[in-house]
Amino acid sequence: MRSHESIHADLAAGRTTVESVVTECLASIERQRSLNAFLSVFHEEAVSQARAVDKKVSAGTAGPLAGMVVSIKDVICVKGHRATCGSKILENFVAPYDATVVARLKDADAVIVGKCNMDEFAMGSSTENSAFGRVHLPQDVSRIPGGSSGGSAVSVRAGMATTSLGTDTGGSIRQPAAFTGVVGLKPTYGRVSRYGLIAFASSFDSIGPFGSTVHDVASVLQVIAGKDPNDATSSDVPVPDYRMAMTGNVKGLRIGLPKEYYGDGLDPHVRKAVEVQVEKLRKQGAVISEVSLPHTEYTIAAYYILATAEASSNLARYDGARYGFRSKNAGNLTDMYVASRSEGFGAEVKRRIMLGTYVLSAGYYDAYYRKGQKVRRLIKNDFANVFKSVDCLITPTAPTTAFRAGEKTDDPLQMYLSDIYTVSANLAGIPGISLPCGNDPEGLPIGIQVLGKEFDEATVLRVAHALETP
Ligand code: GLN
């Protein structure tokens, strides 16, 4: 792991070149192929982009992300390259255009190095649901890196990229960031354009950065945030200067600890590590208080009703006729649809489509989908209430550290519970960050989460930066 901040300083002083940084990342990818973090690597293209940026550096015209090497989760479109979503059904789908986030990164002179492995259609918490094999945790390859953006998190952790773009629908940036020991930010819903993101659950999906430092994720957010005419759900709330927010000063800041996030099921080592960090902030002058988010116990249920409902309709487009995989085992059109979807989707995706179709169907809609929407509102109100008296919240990112491969694959509910502290931010639409805060006795990284008010990424970054500073 090397931060963009330090690479940028070396570039400015003429101690390195973009080409050598990119070449190092490519070598790192090749050396660690067995981690299975990448689904495609842009060898020649990355090197030629690097040379072009080096020319700009010499001419003094390079953009703010010169020297940054970025990997992209395979659910985000990069023109001319495959976007598989970790699924057999899109195995050969080539993106016809750049996602807005990718175009903005390129404009800022970042170099895109390749596309990262992920749980199929971003459904999962371990990156074991990829049609192209699981991703391994670099620190212990018998374990999983979290998910669904497991490839992105590993690419940063293992020095294959400086930063990465992932997506977070229920925790898929923050939870793998915690498990691998990197920083991961989920912005406010609407803060970052999703044009060119292949949809899972449209009222939850957010694109955000991974990096080795808070500063690096802030630099990426700075470039990708803001209104996009191609995405009607992107917001025109002005984008502040995030780097100015990282003052190192938390004096007088009011921080809430939601008591429901420190209860049963929380690993004692994780609890201890988070408490140590909270104490540190208290000593620096932050005002810490316990708060309550009373509807927390309903978050997983509400999420799995609403997200599956949205997924079942978003994934209806993969029918063998328009995109990707088409079964050869069908004699007529209807059979072709059925066979293409049956053969093209994996087990977890099929489970979600069935659940989502069920909760939306006549007779069950009121009992499940409508009720889920009402509960979502109550959860959103819980946050609005606590944010009247505190500026941000601190919680563990996940109840445990990285678990073993295969440990939760037979029990979907256990797998779903690993997002217990992250899904609420997606239900409420608020920003959240996870950053490393030590290791458990086995040496596995622990993540701490900061949640903030809508569009207040600045405070989230400020607190994260203070936490990161020893
Ligand atoms: N793990 C959650 C799920 O399986 C969240 C996934 C995500 O954020 N994309 O749905």
Side-chain angles (χ1 to χ4, degrees):
M1 279 204 296
R2 234 195 113 190
S3 75
H4 176 246
E5 221 181 334
S6 74
I7 294 171
H8 203 258
D10 282 354
L11 262 186
R15 288 190 294 264
T16 190
T17 62
V18 180
E19 185 177 347
S20 73
V21 177
V22 167
T23 311
E24 255 173 59
C25 287
L26 288 168
S28 192
I29 293 172
E30 290 314 318
R31 230 180 12 252
Q32 302 175 90
R33 272 281 173 203
S34 61
L35 296 177
N36 206 20
F38 278 81
L39 294 177
S40 44
V41 183
F42 309 164
H43 292 99
E44 293 78 25
E45 194 179 323
V47 172
S48 77
Q49 274 178 13
R51 290 188 181 136
V53 178
D54 275 326
K55 287 209 178 91
K56 289 192 187 177
V57 172
S58 311
T61 57
L65 300 188
M68 187 181 277
V69 185
V70 192
S71 64
I72 309 281
K73 188 179 184 181
D74 213 21
V75 66
I76 298 171
C77 290
V78 178
K79 187 177 177 175
H81 294 283
R82 290 191 308 154
T84 68
C85 291
S87 181
K88 183 174 170 190
I89 214 157
L90 285 177
E91 186 167 7
N92 295 313
F93 175 69
V94 173
Y97 59 86
D98 274 335
T100 298
V101 287
V102 169
R104 289 189 180 177
L105 288 175
K106 288 180 178 170
D107 282 347
D109 285 331
V111 172
I112 314 285
V113 78
K115 305 289 297 290
C116 287
N117 202 353
M118 57 182 280
D119 280 306
E120 185 176 7
F121 284 100
M123 297 174 188
S125 307
S126 64
T127 320
E128 290 169 289
N129 294 337
S130 168
F132 308 108
R134 76 174 181 94
V135 177
H136 301 254
L137 184 74
Q139 293 93 333
D140 173 354
V141 293
S142 73
R143 293 178 189 269
I144 54 82
S148 63
S149 315
S152 286
V154 168
S155 73
V156 173
R157 176 71 221 193
M160 306 167 179
T162 353
T163 59
S164 187
L165 288 185
T167 58
D168 193 311
T169 303
S172 282
I173 292 175
R174 291 162 288 155
Q175 186 255 23
F179 283 9
T180 54
V182 301
V183 184
L185 171 76
K186 177 207 110 60
T188 305
Y189 184 80
R191 180 68 301 179
V192 172
S193 164
R194 298 178 299 173
Y195 179 69
L197 166 65
I198 298 171
F200 159 13
S202 306
S203 77
F204 297 85
D205 296 342
S206 320
I207 297 177
F210 288 91
S212 60
T213 64
V214 176
H215 193 279
D216 282 4
V217 302
S219 302
V220 175
L221 181 66
Q222 195 72 53
V223 164
I224 63 174
K227 181 71 187 165
D228 173 13
N230 284 329
D231 176 2
T233 65
S234 67
S235 168
D236 53 15
V237 170
V239 179
D241 188 337
Y242 294 119
R243 281 157 295 196
M244 295 297 286
M246 292 178 288
T247 54
N249 182 1
V250 289
K251 211 173 163 55
L253 203 74
R254 298 165 306 165
I255 298 174
L257 308 178
K259 65 168 193 255
E260 293 80 3
Y261 287 56
Y262 293 85
D264 287 349
L266 175 59
D267 178 296
H269 301 294
V270 176
R271 177 199 302 274
K272 181 85 199 125
V274 172
E275 282 170 358
V276 166
Q277 295 298 312
V278 169
E279 258 333 287
K280 186 174 103 184
L281 294 181
R282 196 196 302 273
K283 288 205 185 90
Q284 292 173 14
V287 183
I288 315 285
S289 61
E290 186 181 274
V291 296
S292 174
L293 297 164
H295 296 94
T296 299
E297 65 177 297
Y298 305 111
T299 53
I300 293 281
Y303 171 79
Y304 277 96
I305 288 172
L306 299 173
T308 56
E310 294 184 24
S312 74
S313 90
N314 273 325
L315 271 56
R317 71 189 69 166
Y318 308 105
D319 56 8
R322 286 170 290 185
Y323 301 92
F325 176 78
R326 177 181 299 173
S327 172
K328 303 214 171 20
N329 307 317
N332 61 46
L333 184 63
T334 310
D335 288 352
M336 191 280 284
Y337 290 149
V338 174
S340 299
R341 289 170 68 81
S342 303
E343 294 163 32
F345 289 133
E348 182 61 26
V349 174
K350 285 182 200 164
R351 177 168 21 246
R352 307 270 180 122
I353 292 172
M354 286 189 278
L355 277 171
T357 307
Y358 176 75
V359 301
L360 286 173
S361 55
Y364 296 105
Y365 183 94
D366 283 334
Y368 295 108
Y369 183 75
R370 192 188 302 279
K371 179 153 271 143
Q373 293 285 33
K374 289 181 176 170
V375 172
R376 183 178 196 176
R377 169 58 64 183
L378 294 173
I379 291 165
K380 204 170 158 47
N381 290 348
D382 279 355
F383 281 100
N385 277 333
V386 299
F387 284 136
K388 285 180 195 150
S389 56
V390 297
D391 303 305
C392 67
L393 300 169
I394 289 187
T395 80
T397 307
T400 65
T401 51
F403 44 91
R404 287 189 193 285
E407 199 177 312
K408 297 185 198 276
T409 37
D410 294 336
D411 186 350
L413 275 183
Q414 278 307 312
M415 188 70 91
Y416 297 173
L417 283 171
S418 59
D419 300 314
I420 188 130
Y421 305 139
T422 49
V423 291
S424 54
N426 304 76
L427 285 158
I430 59 172
I433 196 168
S434 176
L435 70 152
C437 74
N439 296 314
D440 73 4
E442 291 181 80
L444 298 168
I446 296 172
I448 184 169
Q449 174 174 243
V450 184
L451 297 173
K453 298 177 190 170
E454 270 186 342
F455 295 103
D456 193 13
E457 282 80 2
T459 299
V460 169
L461 290 163
R462 176 174 159 204
V463 174
H465 174 72
L467 284 169
E468 171 183 67
T469 313

